[in-house]
Amino acid sequence: MNSGELLERSLAYALGSVAEVGSASPGRATPCAEWDLGELLAHLDDSLEALYEGLTGGRIDLLPRADRVCGFRTRACAVLGAWAAGPPRTTLVGERPLDVRVMGAVGAVEIAVHGWDVAQACGRPRPLPVALAAELLSVARCVVAEEDRGVRFGAPVGVPPRARADVRLLAFLGRRDSFPA
């Protein structure tokens, strides 16, 4: 798996979803029960900032910055540029080293799935590309532990074993493949 390509495809998908926000109310409900649309967009921005920090400075601060000057598109382009420039092999998350390829793959899951959440919240559903979802599902299965359930992720949702990869990815992360707008 090429983490850079996976990250690029996830960012492209999320950019399409964020473009749908338009005049949607920041208080709209999202598939992330704890966050409204405004909070979800802020979380996405924090995620991109963390990826950028890891790619350019070799260290991710554990406390997010209050800087919201950069828009999502600008930060997404900065992340892709930093990846293309040749990131360090490892980055520190707090004091713990993390392989930057793992960081990129996990970031790809975060960005694509929250891009799906944004589109759902805006009432403009955009299915995750099935091939992308299949790769992201293999990453998610490696990094989402049972102790993450109820804290970072909901309980898995039951779906037929032959469901498309996008449906299985969303279900694994506690989402149904539709959300009432």
Side-chain angles (χ1 to χ4, degrees):
M1 166 189 10
N2 180 329
S3 297
E5 180 187 327
L6 195 59
L7 184 58
E8 183 176 354
R9 290 167 45 214
S10 293
L11 281 165
Y13 172 80
L15 282 165
S17 296
V18 170
E20 300 292 335
V21 171
S23 61
S25 167
R28 286 185 73 120
T30 73
C32 301
E34 301 297 317
W35 293 334
D36 63 24
L37 181 57
E39 293 165 329
L40 178 59
L41 291 169
H43 173 70
L44 262 173
D45 192 50
D46 288 342
S47 296
L48 285 177
E49 177 65 22
L51 281 169
Y52 185 75
E53 285 175 358
L55 293 171
T56 61
R59 182 182 190 93
I60 298 171
D61 290 329
L62 294 179
L63 299 175
R65 296 184 188 152
D67 173 19
R68 297 266 182 253
V69 176
C70 265
F72 185 81
R73 287 182 189 172
T74 303
R75 205 173 305 276
C77 290
V79 166
L80 288 175
W83 189 278
R89 293 180 64 127
T90 61
T91 191
L92 292 177
V93 180
E95 297 301 320
R96 295 183 178 190
L98 178 66
D99 185 301
V100 77
R101 294 169 299 179
V102 173
M103 181 189 72
V106 171
V109 173
E110 170 100 355
I111 290 163
V113 172
H114 284 320
W116 180 87
D117 294 333
V118 168
Q120 292 292 312
C122 292
R124 302 199 117 147
R126 297 179 68 232
L128 278 160
V130 174
L132 173 62
E135 290 182 68
L136 295 175
L137 179 58
S138 67
V139 173
R141 285 186 172 147
C142 290
V143 298
V144 176
E146 208 44 51
E147 51 270 14
D148 292 322
R149 303 292 179 179
V151 178
R152 293 182 187 93
F153 302 97
V157 173
V159 294
R162 294 202 181 266
R164 293 184 328 261
D166 59 326
V167 173
R168 287 183 287 134
L169 171 64
L170 294 168
F172 180 75
L173 297 175
R175 293 159 171 82
R176 301 199 180 281
D177 66 338
S178 62
F179 176 74

